[in-house]
Every structure is written in structure tokens, then in C-alpha cells.
Amino acid sequence: MRLLGLEIKRILKTRITWILLAASLFLGVIMAYLPVTFEGAVVTTEGGEEKEITGLEAVAYYQNKREMFGEVTAEKLQEAVTVYQEVYETYDSQYGSEVPAEVFYKKLACYSPFIHGIKEAFANAETGVAPGVRDLDVRQVGDYYDQLEKRLAAVMDMEQKKHPQAKQTALDKFARVSRPYRYYYGAGGNSMDYETLFLFLITIFSVVIAATIFSADRQTGADDILRCTRHGRLKLAGVKVAAAFLITGITCLLCGIIWILTTNTLFGWEGTETSMQVIYSVTSLPPFTVGQLQWANLLGGYVLFLATISFTLFLSSLAKDNVSALALGLVFALLPIIVYTAVPGVLGDWLSCILPSGGIGLGNSLLYAMCDFSFLHIGSASFWNVDVLLLLGIFKIPLFSFLAMFAYCKRYV
Amino acid sequence: MELKIDHVTKQYKDKLAVDDVSLTLTPGVWGLLGANGAGKTTLMRMIAGIMKPASGDILYDNLSIQSLQGEYRNIFGYLPQEFGFYPEFTVADYLSYVAALKGLSRVETRNKIDMLLEELTLTDVRRKKIVKLSGGMKRRVGIAQALLNEPEILILDEPTSGLDPGERVKFRNILSKFAQNRIVLISTHIVPDVEYIANQNAIMKEGRIIALGTTEKLERLVENKVYRCTMRPGELAKWEGRLRIVNLKNEEDGKVSLRYLSEEPVTENSIAEAPRLEDLYLWLFPQEEVRV
């Protein structure tokens, strides 16, 4: 424990570590606040004037528009479609662009979170094309919750045609999603994107810290003395790995918690009760509310984060100097993003999961995987990408940590 | 107690750095002399266990240091040629860190650090960052860390580089006191560092031990090969390329006095001188300059 304390003290004494830890903390707050700036509404003042409000003022406005809060019943959805159709017909609009802003905010804004989902639920089973608002059948919308499983089956038929087990797995998972959905105004998709971006940036910062844990010893020559001491091999390697995990891990978790607390304090905690299916696909597989999704994204991302850090430590134990350790660490941390963009299809999906920092990124993130219906297949067995990412992540943490310690102990010139 | 280097060889790509070296170290101060590139550092790194011999073994009391691992490192102290340290550490932080790695308790650490800082005149800089210290002070911090665990085997690679003459004398005295019942191996190409304190010396050249023995025994190898003479400055140019001149001194009478190495005296006024270890060193390494 004493050695661990001294090692942590040593790492924390480097200026770059402090700068990055402070930046992480700052990001935790700023990344929670930025989505607030996207909020906006047009309101009519007591004097009858129209006024545009933004930021926290807009958040407060939406928090008071409570007509649709609570259970998202079929009746509420029918009401939403009816009002939308009336307004669209008044302005002879198909997609809403002809509807004046003040009318939208006055009449439609409180229904808008549901309209996209209703159209998605009643999309054409063969083409996947969603109907326009005016094409929706209000009576049919009454069967909204019965329609969801049919919709999911159609999606799986389109995306996983040759893999019936994937379809069955998806339907089984969706069966656990609690219905009717619930809705309260709060942090939405923008915030979740920022949580993902925030986790990605913290990972990059932590890679910079972890990359030099072993390589700095070798670069400075401190290594020669340390390795000649009684505890200078396995114990020191273990202490270095533990210290790196503690510093980066606690920072990531702490900043993630700060992000969640700040986000929900700004947008309102009520919003955490909203079903994630209201803000993402209506057939999303995780049985989460938005609040649970925030934690799942943080904790799941945390597993992938630790896997990335453990691999960076392994690279550090092999590298002869800080620059190569840092360069390799960053390349491997960014590799899943490059693979996601450059390698299409099954190979890309597999690589995105298998790579040491799989799931770290933006488009290739765990959040997007949770909102997606991608499966990986071995023979006739199919596995949801999210499950594979997390299982491999849990496996990678001890594997690369052990390899880092092993490489450090067995290193001979 | 003995440390046996048993037919140890180490090869880098195209260079044989250590070539079948065998040496048995017993308690006392040992000097390992040799020019740069002679293989001293490679041999020391193998003794320190941070480099693996290509063949041969190093045995501590007949047990391979590879199998002893932590037990061996527990009685070992090492100062490498390049003293590497964490730039963010102060002197006290660094010594505490190394002490913890050496398994010293908190109390032992505090006492030992206080004592060593005092002995090596580093007390005033204990809260200073090592990176901000002078070369000599850094070297003394390096020596302090090597002595923290009172090692039975102490290996010092060029320990006095960067130390001023006063510091070197003080260091030699500390080491002489410390070396009782311990094996201390000092690698250097600064001959006077070991001349007066080493019980035994080994001289390395091109990866091999070419001479071994006490200072007196080694000095005898150049007996009748060390001469002194005087000449006019104008004559000096004639001899400079032909003689191994150990020392040149301007005399008060306008002449120069030469101490040189040769199989035979080269001038009529040459008189034989008592050999010193550095004479042998220069005899064996003719390209090296004398360092005092």
C-alpha cells in the first residue's frame, strides 16, 4: 500500500497529469452544459409579443409544458397525431416546414417527441420507409404498442435476413422493455451524444497519462535502478498498473458522475424516467430509461475505457521511450474509429469489437451500439454487438494488465 | 560471501561486448578499469540482473542470481553509469520511493535518508527537485540510493563522474568505510578513484579481463617501463608522437620534465620511476589520456 501511495504521488506530481485531470473535470461540467445551449423555443409574452428564448430559460419553459408527461398511452399518441394532422392540413404541409415557428411552439412542441416514433412504428415493413404525418391512420395509432414487435421483426428481417437467431434474440431482449413508455422533459439525445464525446475525450487524456507509466522509466534510465531493488519487478509492475488504473479510473468515473449530476440538474431529474425508446428508435433493445441509459453508457464505457488503459499500459511496458508509447497508445485508441469508417461490413463490425479500444469513439461507440441492431455471427449463433463489446472488454482488462506486468518483468536488453 | 562471474559472454548484433569473462569477487573494494567501450558497463548490467548473459552465469554464494531473484536484489545496490530519475521528484521523495522499493520500513527510511543526506552533504537540498541539482549533487543522490539498503553487494558504474576533487576524496572515504565485509565493485576509467582504495583490480579490454590483481601486483607489470627525463622545449616535438607521455611539466630552469612509458629509456638522462596504476592503464590503453 505504501508503494502504491508513493507511485500515485509520483504520477500526480507530473504537470501533464494535473493538466489532463483538471481538463477532464472541466469537460465533465462543460459537456453537460453545452446541450442546454441547443434548447430554444418561441413564446408569447404577456404583452402579446413573440419572444425567442434559449438555454436554461427554454429548459424551464419545456419543464412546465406538462401535458404529455407520464405514461405514453395510445390515447396520448392519437391526440398527438390528430393535432399534428390538423395543423399540417391548415398549412397544407407535408413535413412541417410550412408551419410557422410560433404555431409549432404553441400547438405542436409538446407532441413533437412522439411523432417521429409513431412514424417509425408504422413504417413500411418491406421498404422501411416511414409514412408522412398526414398519412397516419389515427385509429391504427391506437394499436401502437402491438405494432412495435411487428416493427422490430421487420427491422430484423431487413438487417439480419440470414440470421434467424439474431431476430429471436432481438425479440427476446425487446420483450423485457417495459411498456407503455414514459415521457418527461429532460436530457435527450444531444446530451447522450455529449456523454459519449466526453467519454472519448477522457479516454484520450487517460491514454496520454497511462502511455508513459512504464516507458518514462526506460527513457529516463530510472528503470535500471528500480529493477535492481527487492520489489522492483513484479510488485512494482503491479503497483504501476494499479496506480494507473486508480488515477485514470477514478477520474473517469468521477467526471462521468459529475456529468450525469450536472446534466440532470440542468435538464431536470424527471427526464431520467423517460423510456429511451422515446428519444431513440421505438424498438431499441435495452430496457432502460434515459437515466439508466446514462449510467449504462458511463459504466459500459468505463469497462471499454479500462480495457483501453490496460492495453496502453502494455504498449508502455514495451516502448523504449515516451514518444513511441504515446504515439502507439493514441493510434490504438483511435483505431476503432478509423476501422468503423474505413472497413465496411462484417469485418469492420468484428474489428470494432476485437480491437483493444473497441467501442471507444463516436459513431462506433457503445451508445450507438445500444441503439443499433447489429449482431455478430459465429456459425448459426448470433451475438448482439453490445454484449460482445462488453464481454471482450471485461476479458481485455486483466489480459493486457497481465501482459504489461509480464513484459516489464521479463524485459532484458 | 562471493560473487562468481562464470564464463559470461554478451554479444550485441556485431560486437562481442563481454567475451567469456570469469571472475570471483570476494569482500572488499574491487576496481574495474577499462577504456570506454571495453565492456565494463555491460558486465555490470549483467551483474545487476538487468541484462541477461548470452552464455555463462553469475552466482551469488553458488546460487544463480537468475534463480535468487528478489533475494539477490534485496542485498544489492546499484548506481548505473547514467543516473536516471523521475524529473518531478525531490531528493527526499526519490529516496523514499527507492527505499520503499528496497523494502525499508518507514522508520528505517527516515533514519537512513537523514544519515545519507548528512554524510553526502545533501541535507540542504532534500526538498529540491533532482532535476535542478548540479551534476555532482545528482551523482551523490545516485550514490545515496545505492547505499539505502546497506547492500552486501554494491556495484557502482563511473560513480565519480561529475564530482569535484573534494567530493571524490570524500566519496572514496565513505566507500572504504562501507566496504568492510561487503563486495564493492567500482567501474571507472579514472584510475585514481580506485588506486588507493581497491583491494583488487580487474582491467578489461575488448570484452575480456586482461589483468587482475592487487594494485601493487598490477603496478609490477610496468616495472622498468616508467621513466622520467628533462629536455629543452624545442626537443619535445621530436618525441611527442613516439613516446607514451604520462605527464609533462614545465620546470623553473626553462626545461620540461617528462614522465613516459617505454620498454627502454630513450634519452641518456632518463631515470626509472616507481610505477603507478595509471601507468599500467596507459600502457594497456595507449589512446587514453591520463585523468587525475
Side-chain angles (χ1 to χ4, degrees):
Chain A
M1 281 305 282
R2 177 169 156 233
L3 199 52
L4 181 63
L6 287 166
E7 181 63 17
I8 289 172
K9 188 177 163 188
R10 182 191 75 75
I11 299 170
L12 288 178
K13 278 201 164 190
T14 55
R15 191 179 298 166
I16 186 76
T17 305
W18 271 114
I19 291 170
L20 292 174
L21 294 182
S24 302
L25 205 63
F26 175 71
L27 272 182
V29 177
I30 205 75
M31 289 290 193
Y33 178 72
L34 279 175
V36 172
T37 63
F38 302 156
E39 296 296 295
V42 174
V43 295
T44 308
T45 61
E46 285 176 3
E49 282 178 22
E50 278 163 8
K51 180 188 160 196
E52 193 179 344
I53 54 170
T54 55
L56 287 171
E57 205 179 349
V59 168
Y61 166 79
Y62 285 118
Q63 282 172 338
N64 290 322
K65 300 279 279 179
R66 306 184 65 85
E67 299 93 323
M68 295 293 280
F69 286 10
E71 276 191 2
V72 182
T73 59
E75 291 73 28
K76 281 184 181 173
L77 295 175
Q78 284 175 310
E79 182 190 329
V81 172
T82 304
V83 174
Y84 253 82
Q85 286 181 339
E86 281 171 9
V87 171
Y88 276 28
E89 275 161 24
T90 304
Y91 292 95
D92 194 22
S93 176
Q94 192 61 33
Y95 301 106
S97 52
E98 292 83 358
V99 179
E102 66 273 19
V103 175
F104 174 82
Y105 285 110
K106 200 170 184 180
K107 294 189 171 176
L108 302 182
C110 62
Y111 301 116
S112 67
F114 312 105
I115 285 300
H116 177 79
I118 297 168
K119 290 196 302 183
E120 185 197 342
F122 291 97
N124 184 297
E126 285 172 13
T127 63
V129 176
V133 172
R134 290 167 71 182
D135 300 327
L136 286 168
D137 181 341
V138 177
R139 276 178 305 167
Q140 212 181 0
V141 173
D143 300 329
Y144 175 79
Y145 286 106
D146 295 333
Q147 176 62 22
L148 294 180
E149 282 184 3
K150 291 179 203 160
R151 173 65 197 150
L152 177 59
V155 168
M156 296 308 290
D157 283 339
M158 275 190 286
E159 293 197 8
Q160 307 286 341
K161 198 179 264 179
K162 294 176 187 168
H163 304 285
Q165 206 212 322
K167 178 181 174 181
Q168 193 50 53
T169 306
L171 288 169
D172 291 345
K173 283 184 182 291
F174 189 64
R176 295 203 299 270
V177 174
S178 110
R179 281 160 277 181
Y181 297 151
R182 297 179 70 80
Y183 172 75
Y184 299 91
Y185 174 76
N190 281 337
S191 285
M192 292 305 303
D193 283 349
Y194 270 83
E195 185 185 29
T196 301
L197 177 60
F198 164 65
L199 285 170
F200 171 68
L201 290 175
I202 286 227
T203 305
I204 295 299
F205 291 171
S206 298
V207 162
V208 173
I209 294 171
T212 59
I213 294 287
F214 288 104
S215 64
D217 292 3
R218 212 162 171 186
Q219 178 169 297
T220 59
D223 204 25
D224 283 352
I225 290 170
L226 307 184
R227 288 160 68 82
C228 288
T229 58
R230 179 178 168 186
H231 301 309
R233 300 282 168 100
L234 188 62
K235 192 167 181 181
L236 179 61
V239 159
K240 279 177 177 291
V241 168
F245 274 135
L246 279 171
I247 292 171
T248 59
I250 288 174
T251 304
C252 178
L253 211 52
L254 188 70
C255 293
I257 291 169
I258 287 172
W259 181 90
I260 288 176
L261 294 176
T262 313
T263 293
N264 294 323
T265 303
L266 291 170
F267 279 97
W269 286 91
E270 237 182 355
T272 59
E273 296 299 316
T274 300
S275 306
M276 72 169 278
Q277 286 74 12
V278 175
I279 59 169
Y280 290 103
S281 167
V282 290
T283 55
S284 292
L285 304 182
F288 295 149
T289 63
V290 168
Q292 288 167 333
L293 184 65
Q294 289 172 349
W295 281 101
N297 195 32
L298 174 62
L299 297 176
Y302 189 61
V303 169
L304 306 180
F305 166 88
L306 291 179
T308 306
I309 297 303
S310 67
F311 185 71
T312 307
L313 289 169
F314 173 53
L315 291 176
S316 181
S317 70
L318 297 175
K320 285 184 177 173
D321 56 74
N322 289 343
V323 173
S324 38
L326 202 55
L328 282 170
L330 289 174
V331 164
F332 274 95
L334 298 173
L335 203 54
I337 298 177
I338 299 163
V339 165
Y340 174 76
T341 314
V343 184
V346 178
L347 179 64
D349 284 347
W350 270 109
L351 282 175
S352 292
C353 289
I354 290 170
L355 283 169
S357 48
I360 296 292
L362 304 169
N364 59 311
S365 66
L366 180 70
L367 173 69
Y368 281 44
M370 285 194 282
C371 300
D372 202 2
F373 304 94
S374 289
F375 280 74
L376 294 169
H377 313 284
I378 301 173
S380 61
S382 299
F383 308 94
W384 192 31
N385 275 17
V386 175
D387 296 336
V388 178
L389 269 173
L390 292 177
L391 275 173
L392 283 178
I394 290 167
F395 175 70
K396 287 170 198 170
I397 298 167
L399 172 72
F400 291 124
S401 301
F402 170 77
L403 286 176
M405 291 192 281
F406 182 78
Y408 177 78
C409 292
K410 291 292 168 194
R411 192 171 70 212
Y412 281 101
V413 182
Chain B
M1 177 174 55
E2 66 170 29
L3 186 70
K4 189 175 179 186
I5 299 157
D6 189 20
H7 296 286
V8 163
T9 297
K10 180 73 185 177
Q11 176 143 17
Y12 297 115
K13 285 171 191 168
D14 54 350
K15 193 193 173 196
L16 198 56
V18 174
D19 183 9
D20 194 30
V21 167
S22 290
L23 183 66
T24 301
L25 302 176
T26 48
V29 178
W30 287 73
L32 183 62
L33 293 163
N36 291 327
K40 306 187 299 290
T41 294
T42 303
L43 181 63
M44 292 201 136
R45 288 172 68 81
M46 287 190 287
I47 295 172
I50 51 176
M51 190 180 267
K52 210 172 185 177
S55 64
D57 203 356
I58 295 163
L59 307 153
Y60 172 64
D61 284 345
N62 295 320
L63 291 169
S64 169
I65 63 167
Q66 300 294 335
S67 62
L68 284 169
Q69 292 285 329
E71 277 178 69
Y72 175 68
R73 296 196 300 272
N74 197 30
I75 51 98
F76 190 80
Y78 178 52
L79 174 66
Q81 191 173 15
E82 299 290 331
F83 169 50
F85 54 88
Y86 296 117
E88 58 275 9
F89 265 150
T90 63
V91 173
D93 283 344
Y94 175 71
L95 293 177
S96 299
Y97 185 80
V98 177
L101 281 171
K102 291 190 173 198
L104 270 67
S105 70
R106 283 174 202 273
V107 177
E108 283 173 322
T109 299
R110 201 171 41 241
N111 293 341
K112 201 73 201 165
I113 289 176
D114 285 347
M115 194 200 84
L116 285 167
L117 291 181
E118 183 68 38
E119 204 156 5
L120 291 159
T121 52
L122 288 166
T123 308
D124 292 346
V125 295
R126 67 181 299 151
R127 298 280 165 223
K128 257 196 168 182
K129 283 193 172 180
I130 304 176
V131 75
K132 290 185 176 164
L133 301 181
S134 67
M137 281 182 173
K138 281 180 194 162
R139 206 68 194 150
R140 278 184 273 155
V141 175
I143 293 164
Q145 66 75 26
L147 297 174
L148 272 170
N149 57 330
E150 296 188 8
E152 286 179 27
I153 299 171
L154 179 64
I155 306 289
L156 304 166
D157 197 353
E158 306 283 358
T160 56
S161 60
L163 298 186
D164 62 38
E167 289 170 333
R168 279 162 56 190
V169 169
K170 191 165 185 185
F171 165 72
R172 289 203 295 252
N173 293 339
I174 291 171
L175 219 56
S176 287
K177 206 165 68 183
F178 180 81
Q180 285 173 355
N181 300 318
R182 300 169 204 274
I183 296 170
V184 179
L185 179 63
I186 304 170
S187 147
T188 187
H189 58 269
I190 305 172
V191 181
D193 279 350
V194 290
E195 194 169 23
Y196 302 111
I197 59 166
N199 308 92
Q200 298 277 340
N201 297 288
I203 300 178
M204 273 191 95
K205 188 176 184 181
E206 293 168 0
R208 301 184 73 94
I209 303 275
I210 55 167
L212 179 69
T214 61
T215 301
E216 295 72 28
K217 183 184 161 190
L218 291 174
E219 283 170 352
R220 281 202 291 275
L221 295 174
V222 280
E223 212 162 45
N224 299 322
K225 291 186 176 69
V226 187
Y227 298 95
R228 180 175 294 280
C229 70
T230 54
M231 61 180 66
R232 286 194 299 276
E235 291 176 86
L236 190 60
K238 178 180 155 191
W239 296 107
E240 266 179 336
R242 293 160 60 185
L243 285 178
R244 292 181 200 174
I245 299 171
V246 181
N247 198 22
L248 257 180
K249 188 181 170 193
N250 290 314
E251 298 293 346
E252 286 178 355
D253 59 3
K255 290 187 173 177
V256 286
S257 160
L258 254 70
R259 181 182 169 92
Y260 67 92
L261 304 173
S262 175
E263 293 283 0
E264 300 289 338
V266 295
T267 61
E268 282 181 6
N269 66 349
S270 292
I271 49 167
E273 289 256 305
R276 290 174 55 190
L277 195 56
E278 67 185 15
D279 297 322
L280 171 69
Y281 184 84
L282 279 177
W283 183 257
L284 296 169
F285 301 98
Q287 305 89 335
E288 289 285 299
E289 287 179 19
V290 180
R291 301 272 299 270
V292 289

